[in-house]
Amino acid sequence: MPQLGAGHSSKLPIGAAVMNKNITVGALVAIVIVAGLGAVYSYRQTGSQPAHIVNEQIPHDAVDYQKEGRKIQDLRFKRRKSAQPEQVPLSALMEGDTRFAALSQAERDWLDRHYYLDQAEIDAAKSIPDSELQRALTDPYAQTILGKRLLAQGNSMGGIAALKNAASHGSVYAYEEAALAVLKDAMQMNGGVADENQILAFRARMEVAKILGDHRADDMFDHYFPGYDAGINSKNLQAQTTELLRQLGENAQLQGSSAAGPDPRPNADIWSNLRDLNHVGGKGDLIPVFE
């Protein structure tokens, strides 16, 4: 059984790694976009779901999120905007959490737009009381900070709820962090290992993050489960991804928000080339990264 570690700076051991059979993920995602986004924007209530479908819906009292909370004037911190990029060795770049790395100012803006908050930004919000963040129910910035804070305090249920709320209001980062927290909770109840259903559910959530726009979600999944072959359960993966998209849209509707549409992250081709370069001896090459 694969085991999940706490950090994101080194590869984690798994049991019997399944060889990747290079399934046509692009074709799968295309199918899911057609089926899933149609479901997201239809907001139709469904009947009973198959047992293998994971349920991401938040409680129905989430309509309370529509109420206007008090404005948090001191929450808006100055986001980092580099005039000049920093030169980073390719090996160091690829060994870190590449979700936070921007290869252009446009990609840096994309990260800001989807609330990718690093630890420094989360730490900068420590002076803001939980009550203030909780009142900002429709603010994805505040809810992402709250969710990460609650997770750090050991409040998994509260943290996941806040992150899902932030995701419903446009935080792709919050969606990814909620997915990881759900996986860790499931593994904790399973003796610290991930079974096939838990891995597949995490894969489906990363597919949703990709459809929303973040091509680095693949890197996040591969970090925890390298070599996993999603093609073995491609139909199940497609069904779960479609259902998760529907639930994300329904949650947004419950809170009076528009469903988040796809917003492609820039530089997908460049990232792909860098991954290949890292494998063939370019680890020492310096890469411009916008902080």
Side-chain angles (χ1 to χ4, degrees), residues 10-287:
S10 61
K11 293 293 182 182
L12 301 176
I14 62 171
V18 185
M19 295 302 295
N20 192 332
K21 298 181 181 178
N22 296 321
I23 90 165
T24 56
V25 175
L28 172 61
V29 171
I31 293 170
V32 172
I33 289 176
V34 172
L37 290 182
V40 168
Y41 289 106
S42 68
Y43 304 123
R44 290 179 298 180
Q45 295 287 344
T46 62
S48 59
Q49 297 293 338
H52 65 274
I53 295 294
V54 291
N55 189 349
E56 291 283 33
Q57 289 182 325
I58 55 179
H60 284 291
D61 61 2
V63 294
D64 290 341
Y65 288 154
Q66 298 177 35
K67 298 179 180 178
E68 288 294 328
R70 191 173 67 186
K71 301 295 183 182
I72 303 176
Q73 298 299 331
D74 59 348
L75 184 61
R76 302 302 181 207
F77 302 104
K78 183 178 181 180
R79 311 300 298 278
R80 294 167 300 145
K81 299 285 185 180
S82 293
Q84 297 295 329
E86 178 184 355
Q87 300 295 321
V88 178
L90 178 57
S91 59
L93 173 64
M94 301 307 288
E95 288 171 3
D97 189 344
T98 60
R99 292 179 301 159
F100 288 96
L103 304 182
S104 65
Q105 187 59 56
E107 191 171 8
R108 177 73 253 170
D109 293 342
W110 188 93
L111 293 175
D112 288 347
R113 192 160 64 247
H114 295 287
Y115 307 97
Y116 282 73
L117 307 180
D118 64 15
Q119 193 57 50
E121 291 177 288
I122 293 171
D123 290 344
K126 285 183 177 179
S127 62
I128 302 174
D130 289 358
S131 58
E132 290 294 314
L133 297 174
Q134 289 165 349
R135 275 193 282 266
L137 296 173
T138 61
D139 186 336
Y141 189 34
Q143 291 296 296
T144 300
I145 292 173
L146 177 63
K148 292 289 290 182
R149 178 185 294 182
L150 293 176
L151 288 180
Q153 294 171 353
N155 183 350
S156 178
M157 183 177 297
I160 291 171
L163 289 172
K164 287 182 179 179
N165 183 23
S168 294
H169 289 90
S171 177
V172 179
Y173 173 65
Y175 190 89
E176 294 170 351
E177 291 299 289
L180 182 58
V182 168
L183 174 66
K184 288 182 176 180
D185 273 3
M187 291 180 66
Q188 185 175 8
M189 294 186 291
N190 196 39
V193 297
D195 62 30
E196 183 65 26
N197 290 333
Q198 291 160 357
I199 297 173
L200 194 62
F202 185 55
R203 175 74 252 182
R205 294 182 179 105
M206 292 303 97
E207 288 297 317
V208 171
K210 285 169 59 181
I211 290 170
L212 295 176
D214 187 13
H215 50 74
R216 305 316 305 151
D218 273 340
D219 181 68
M220 183 176 182
F221 180 85
D222 291 342
H223 173 81
Y224 293 109
F225 303 109
Y228 177 76
D229 182 7
I232 296 174
N233 291 300
S234 59
K235 289 184 178 179
N236 194 342
L237 175 61
Q238 178 185 333
Q240 290 208 37
T241 304
T242 301
E243 172 60 11
L244 290 170
L245 282 166
R246 185 197 67 79
Q247 291 173 11
L248 184 62
E250 185 174 280
N251 290 344
Q253 185 192 41
L254 285 171
Q255 299 171 68
S257 299
S258 299
D263 180 15
R265 178 174 180 161
N267 302 327
D269 290 343
I270 297 176
W271 276 108
S272 180
N273 292 337
L274 289 179
R275 181 189 59 210
D276 294 341
L277 180 62
N278 191 52
H279 289 158
V280 298
K283 295 181 182 296
D285 289 7
L286 295 179
I287 309 300

